[in-house]
């Protein structure tokens, strides 16, 4: 009982139930209004017909009075009463109230003379008891003529109409209720399906998606929108996991080394300068990793968009070559920037410096046997492409997607190279992706034939377009 | 005359660490523990530079800075912050800071930057066309460099690097100061990028067997000096 009650309360409390009830109520109201209108107009019609009948009969009787007096009226009355059965109430009385003709025993009490329409309850031996529409007219010799028509005929009609309406209402109401419930159930079912998917996702199953029925209706589109959102969330979570896993993995090496050195110093009873230097280097590396991780999360969150400013792309590339050139040369690699007509673009200078630097270091570290790294900037229809290409072994085209999704995790030995001078954080390429996304862009890999070409696609915004137009317009 | 530095820092450990270091380096040190005191004390004309923490109880660092600049006080301010991203740095500089340093930092880095700030305030006597240190000469117009009688051929980037060192002789210049000052780079690549640059320049300066001029300062950076 309690369960049923609470279930009912829940059902009543549910927004969809309330919506269905409201739709039903509105429907009921409309049907009711239509019926009331039918009823009222039918009543009015019948009433008008009854009155017309009474007036016609009275006029006939008055004409008979004028032609043949009381005798003629009596004759006509009897004829009408015979014809019309008990539907009429007729009376001709003299000035003293004596009944001369008709089916009434006498002038009914409360009769008002020449006062228009009256509704009277009448009864008599030759008369069906009931309500009558009555006109009482005084004739020229003081005689009174009462002409009435039973309203009961009209009432019967109204009853019939009312019953018909009632019947149709009786059919409409359950039908409407059923339809409303069915629609509500349908909506609930589809919403419930979407909610179930959301629940599954919340429960940790990130791969679940709403199944569409291809109908392109509101629910189908809602499902699509939710799927798009889930795709984005899943991608971010996977990336975040990659970064976090990578970070945790990469933090282990320097921390382990630090611990070893501390133990060594403890065993020795003192720490010499070499050990302290090595420890400081490891600590620097740890700090750098954390700074990079912080930078990635901030760029992913879009923090820094307000520091986009016009940057001369050629300058950016030249400065990068300037800074990293000697490092590359020491590794036997020629670092060059191709001349670019790209002009200024709205960019986050510091972050792009960092991204380009990371790409160069990545090539130096992983592109074994490469002899050159080339920086280039190309204006495309979509915006600006910044390219870092090497002529190393590259990555097989089939593995580009995999490489991108696990950017920075390609070399299992990566992160162990600090002793050899490499101080990569392992987060460099994740940062490149984050920086591209900060500019609403993305990163793609291509074959450089031979070698790897990493392209940062930075979409051209309206502001960017204005900038390059300005540039072209000025001397 | 002793230069007086105001440290506005609520964290006792960091504050004392900086104060002790500055004291040892021969500076006079004043301390404030919140933004209100900091603002009040920084208005003192006897203060030569302010080391200002960004997150302070009461009035925060950026607000103190804005109030100082609004009052027309141009004392050099070095902003300290736990937020180390390029955007935080830009925000700090836009608010009127002269330099920005992310926590945690090495004291050497702070000291080097502080000294640069203090020197920046000193007037320069006319346009400089030549720079010299010991037997090293640099002609900024003809872009020629000589050591003793020997001409040294430098690449443009090496020339810029040496010019920066010559403009700050006997000062400790850190990697990040060089990256900022020479290339307008505002992040630390964390590799030995700068070491490679300095190494090449050093070889060219000393290939005639002359005594070293570019010294590595352990845990801090580089210094142009005779010993």
């Amino acid at each position: 009982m309690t369960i049923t009650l609470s279930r009912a309360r829940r059902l009543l409390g549910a927004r969809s139930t309330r919506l269905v009830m409201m739709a039903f109520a509105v429907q009921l109201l409309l049907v009711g209004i239509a019926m009331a209108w039918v009823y009222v107009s039918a009543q009015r019609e019948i009433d008008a017909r009854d009155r017309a009948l009474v007036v016609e009969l009275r006029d006939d009787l008055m004409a008979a009075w004028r032609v043949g007096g009381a005798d003629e009226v009596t004759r006509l009355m009897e004829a009408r009463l015979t014809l019309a059965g008990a539907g009429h109430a007729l009376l001709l009385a003299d000035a003293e109230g004596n009944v001369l003709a008709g089916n009434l025993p006498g002038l009914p009490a409360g009769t008002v003379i020449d006062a228009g329409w009256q509704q009277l309850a009448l009864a008599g031996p030759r008369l069906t008891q009931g309500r009558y529409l009555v006109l009482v007219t005084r004739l020229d010799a003081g005689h009174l003529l009462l002409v009435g028509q039973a309203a009961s005929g009209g009432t019967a009609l109204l009853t019939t109409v009312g019953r018909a309406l009632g019947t149709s209402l009786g059919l409409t109401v359950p039908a409407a209720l059923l339809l409303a419930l069915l629609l509500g159930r349908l909506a609930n079912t589809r919403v419930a399906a979407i909610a179930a998917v959301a629940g599954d996702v919340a429960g940790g199953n990130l791969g679940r998606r709403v199944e569409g029925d291809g109908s392109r209706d509101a629910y189908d589109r809602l499902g699509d929108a939710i799927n798009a959102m889930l795709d984005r969330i899943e991608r971010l979570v996977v990336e975040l996991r990659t970064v976090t896993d990578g970070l945790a993995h990469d933090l282990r090496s320097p921390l382990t080394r630090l611990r070893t050195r501390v133990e060594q110093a403890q065993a020795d009873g003192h720490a010499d300068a070499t050990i302290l230097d090595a420890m400081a280097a490891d600590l620097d590396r740890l700090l750098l990793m954390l700074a990079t991780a912080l930078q990635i999360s901030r760029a992913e969150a879009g923090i820094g968009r307000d520091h986009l400013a016009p940057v001369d792309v050629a300058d950016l590339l030249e400065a990068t070559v300037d800074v990293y050139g000697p490092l590359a040369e020491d590794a036997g690699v020629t670092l060059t920037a191709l001349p670019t007509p790209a002009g200024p673009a709205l960019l986050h200078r510091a972050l792009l410096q960092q991204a380009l630097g990371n790409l160069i270091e990545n090539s130096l570290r992983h592109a074994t046997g490469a002899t050159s790294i080339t920086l280039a900037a190309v204006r495309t229809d979509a915006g600006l492409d910044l390219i870092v290409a090497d002529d190393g072994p590259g990555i097989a085209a089939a593995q580009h997607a995999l490489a991108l999704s696990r950017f920075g995790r390609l070399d299992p030995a990566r992160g162990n190279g600090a002793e050899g001078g490499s101080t990569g954080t392992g987060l460099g390429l994740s940062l490149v992706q984050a920086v591209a996304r900060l500019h609403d862009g993305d990163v793609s890999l291509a074959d450089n034939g031979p070698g790897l070409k990493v392209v940062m696609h930075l979409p051209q915004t309206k502001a960017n377009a204005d900038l390059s137009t300005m540039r072209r317009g000025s001397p | 005359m002793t230069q007086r530095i105001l440290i506005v820092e609520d964290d006792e450990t960091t504050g004392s660490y900086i104060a002790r270091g500055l004291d040892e380096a021969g500076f006079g040190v004043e301390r404030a523990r919140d933004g209100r005191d900091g603002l009040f004390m920084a208005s003192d004309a006897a203060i030569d530079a302010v080391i200002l923490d960004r997150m302070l109880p009461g009035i925060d660092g950026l607000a103190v800075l804005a109030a100082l600049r609004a009052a027309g006080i141009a004392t050099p301010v070095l902003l300290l912050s736990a937020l180390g991203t390029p955007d935080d740095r830009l925000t700090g500089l836009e608010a009127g800071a002269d330099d920005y340093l992310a926590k945690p930092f090495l004291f050497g880095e702070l000291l080097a930057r502080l000294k640069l700030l203090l020197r920046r305030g000193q007037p320069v006597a006319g346009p400089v066309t030549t720079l010299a240190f010991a037997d090293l000469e640099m002609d900024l117009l003809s872009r020629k460099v000589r050591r003793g009688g020997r001409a040294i051929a430098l690449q443009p980037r090496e020339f810029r690097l040496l010019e920066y060192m010559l403009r700050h002789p006997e000062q400790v210049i850190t990697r990040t100061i060089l990256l900022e000052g020479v290339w307008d780079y505002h992040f630390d690549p964390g590799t030995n990028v700068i070491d490679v640059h300095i190494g090449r320049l050093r070889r060219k300066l000393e290939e005639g067997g002359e005594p070293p001029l570019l010294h590595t300062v352990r845990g801090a950076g580089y210094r142009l000096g005779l010993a």
Side-chain angles (χ1 to χ4, degrees):
Chain A
M1 182 64 200
T2 324
I3 294 168
T4 321
L5 206 71
S6 71
R7 191 190 147 90
R9 192 170 297 151
R10 203 171 57 230
L11 209 66
L12 283 173
R15 176 173 291 253
S16 57
T17 311
R18 268 180 289 165
L19 267 177
V20 165
M21 302 267 273
M22 211 157 73
F24 176 66
V26 168
Q27 215 171 357
L28 205 60
L29 188 71
L30 288 176
V31 169
I33 289 173
M35 284 183 173
W37 186 80
V38 167
Y39 185 89
V40 166
S41 44
Q43 197 173 28
R44 199 172 285 163
E45 183 63 29
I46 288 164
D47 205 39
R49 211 192 57 191
D50 283 349
R51 287 170 197 227
L53 215 62
V54 170
V55 169
E56 193 191 330
L57 188 51
R58 185 200 59 185
D59 290 351
D60 281 355
L61 288 169
M62 281 173 75
W65 173 263
R66 280 192 294 273
V67 173
D71 291 347
E72 188 60 26
V73 170
T74 308
R75 199 184 55 78
L76 186 58
M77 274 191 178
E78 289 306 321
R80 291 305 288 258
L81 286 172
T82 317
L83 266 180
H88 299 314
L90 298 173
L91 177 74
L92 178 66
D94 61 19
E96 285 78 41
N98 302 313
V99 175
L100 299 180
N103 58 352
L104 281 177
L107 202 61
T111 307
V112 189
I113 296 150
D114 280 336
W117 293 102
Q118 297 174 63
Q119 285 237 17
L120 297 174
L122 300 179
R126 296 180 60 199
L127 180 81
T128 315
Q129 188 178 345
R131 297 197 66 80
Y132 284 78
L133 265 175
V134 172
L135 273 180
V136 182
T137 316
R138 188 179 293 279
L139 301 175
D140 45 13
H143 287 62
L144 287 175
L145 176 66
L146 181 151
V147 182
Q149 171 67 34
S152 57
T155 310
L157 186 62
L158 281 172
T159 311
T160 312
V161 170
R163 195 175 298 137
L165 290 179
T167 310
S168 75
L169 201 65
L171 286 174
T172 317
V173 167
L177 193 60
L178 197 69
L179 196 66
L181 283 176
L182 273 177
L183 282 176
R185 171 69 62 85
L186 192 67
N188 275 339
T189 310
R190 300 195 58 182
V191 169
I194 294 173
V197 170
D200 272 10
V201 171
N205 184 359
L206 266 182
R208 280 273 282 150
R209 292 295 179 271
V210 179
E211 279 174 36
D213 56 5
S215 63
R216 306 302 310 144
D217 65 5
Y219 295 105
D220 208 37
R221 288 204 305 276
L222 175 65
D224 284 355
I226 285 179
N227 283 348
M229 181 183 78
L230 289 176
D231 286 347
R232 167 83 174 146
I233 291 175
E234 190 181 23
R235 209 171 68 230
L236 285 178
V237 167
V238 168
E239 279 165 11
L240 189 66
R241 194 176 296 152
T242 310
V243 169
T244 329
D245 288 357
L247 189 62
H249 175 268
D250 293 342
L251 287 175
R252 287 185 69 86
S253 314
L255 283 173
T256 309
R257 275 200 304 271
L258 269 175
R259 178 159 179 75
T260 313
R261 284 178 178 131
V262 168
E263 277 171 8
Q264 190 188 332
Q266 282 170 335
D268 293 353
H270 68 94
D272 63 24
T274 327
I275 286 188
L276 288 176
D277 277 353
M279 286 169 67
D282 275 336
L283 286 170
D284 280 350
R285 202 163 115 77
L286 287 168
L287 287 174
L288 180 65
M289 275 183 205
L290 292 174
T292 311
L294 177 67
Q295 184 60 65
I296 289 171
S297 71
R298 288 170 66 91
E300 287 286 4
I303 297 170
R305 289 219 166 102
D306 49 339
H307 284 129
L308 297 184
V311 170
D312 188 293
V313 178
D315 275 1
L316 176 72
L317 298 190
E318 287 299 335
T320 309
V321 168
D322 229 28
V323 171
Y324 285 92
L327 193 72
E329 278 170 39
D330 277 12
V333 175
T334 316
L335 177 65
T336 45
L338 294 181
T340 172
L346 264 193
L347 301 173
H348 196 298
R349 184 183 169 92
L351 286 181
L352 278 170
Q353 287 172 338
Q354 200 166 348
L356 289 172
N358 286 344
L359 288 174
I360 292 168
E361 287 187 15
N362 189 61
S363 284
L364 289 177
R365 204 171 305 131
H366 299 295
T368 328
T371 59
S372 76
I373 298 174
T374 310
L375 307 187
V378 181
R379 282 246 175 226
T380 64
D381 289 341
L384 178 72
D385 281 1
L386 290 184
I387 302 164
V388 177
D390 66 51
D391 60 353
I395 297 176
Q399 285 191 304
H400 282 174
L402 181 69
L404 264 183
S405 69
R406 339 194 82 216
F407 225 179
R409 306 287 309 166
L410 283 180
D411 178 5
R414 176 196 48 79
N416 297 333
E419 312 275 13
S422 161
T423 50
T425 61
L427 296 169
L429 295 175
S430 299
L431 180 84
V432 173
Q433 281 186 320
V435 170
R437 272 200 289 273
L438 181 79
H439 291 81
D440 289 324
D442 58 6
V443 177
S444 70
L445 302 183
D447 189 13
N448 196 34
L452 179 66
K453 184 153 98 174
V454 183
V455 187
M456 296 177 76
H457 305 279
L458 309 175
Q460 173 115 36
T461 61
K462 172 91 174 53
N464 269 337
D466 290 349
L467 265 176
S468 29
T469 316
M470 249 165 53
R471 169 89 162 194
R472 249 178 268 127
S474 64
Chain B
M1 185 190 140
T2 310
Q3 287 180 303
R4 293 174 68 196
I5 311 296
L6 172 65
I7 304 167
V8 190
E9 166 67 83
D10 60 316
D11 179 60
E12 193 51 40
T13 316
T14 313
S16 319
Y17 170 63
I18 301 172
R20 198 169 57 241
L22 289 181
D23 185 56
E24 281 169 14
F27 289 101
V29 176
E30 306 276 342
R31 292 192 58 184
R33 265 107 182 150
D34 63 45
R36 200 174 305 275
D37 289 355
L39 182 55
F40 177 72
M41 292 168 76
S43 315
D44 184 346
I47 295 291
D48 293 290
V50 182
I51 295 171
L52 178 64
D53 186 34
R54 192 165 160 174
M55 291 182 197
L56 290 170
I59 316 174
D60 87 270
L62 283 184
V64 171
L65 186 55
L68 274 180
R69 295 300 184 241
I73 296 166
T75 312
V77 171
L78 192 157
L79 209 55
L80 287 181
S81 170
L83 307 167
T85 62
D87 292 297
D88 300 309
R89 187 187 150 274
L90 280 175
T91 310
L93 295 190
E94 279 162 12
D98 298 272
D99 204 353
Y100 187 99
L101 193 55
K103 290 180 186 175
F105 53 86
L106 295 173
F107 183 75
E109 178 85 35
L110 176 70
L111 189 62
R113 285 177 179 268
L114 185 64
K115 285 183 171 173
L116 278 183
L117 274 190
L118 290 168
R119 186 163 296 210
R120 204 183 291 168
Q122 292 170 1
V124 181
V128 179
T129 56
T130 59
L131 296 169
F133 183 83
D135 56 349
L136 185 64
E137 288 169 40
M138 170 178 274
D139 188 326
L140 292 174
L141 298 178
S142 65
R143 305 192 74 77
K144 289 207 168 63
V145 176
R146 303 183 69 82
R147 181 149 194 212
R150 178 171 67 91
I152 301 175
L154 293 182
Q155 289 187 357
R157 59 182 167 228
E158 291 163 345
F159 187 90
R160 288 214 301 275
L161 183 59
L162 182 58
E163 178 187 341
Y164 194 90
M165 295 306 290
L166 277 168
R167 284 184 188 275
H168 305 95
E170 296 292 0
Q171 282 188 61
V172 175
I173 303 296
T174 65
R175 276 194 316 205
T176 51
I177 291 177
L178 273 182
L179 280 164
E180 287 176 25
V182 180
W183 290 286
D184 193 23
Y185 248 57
H186 295 289
F187 75 100
D188 186 348
T191 60
N192 46 358
V193 164
I194 296 299
D195 293 335
V196 174
H197 281 277
I198 292 285
R200 292 177 163 225
L201 184 58
R202 188 181 278 150
R203 273 198 298 283
K204 287 196 177 179
L205 293 183
E206 293 161 15
E207 68 192 352
E210 298 95 335
L213 284 179
L214 280 176
H215 305 277
T216 300
V217 182
R218 181 185 297 274
Y222 311 95
R223 182 176 56 85
L224 182 70
L226 274 172

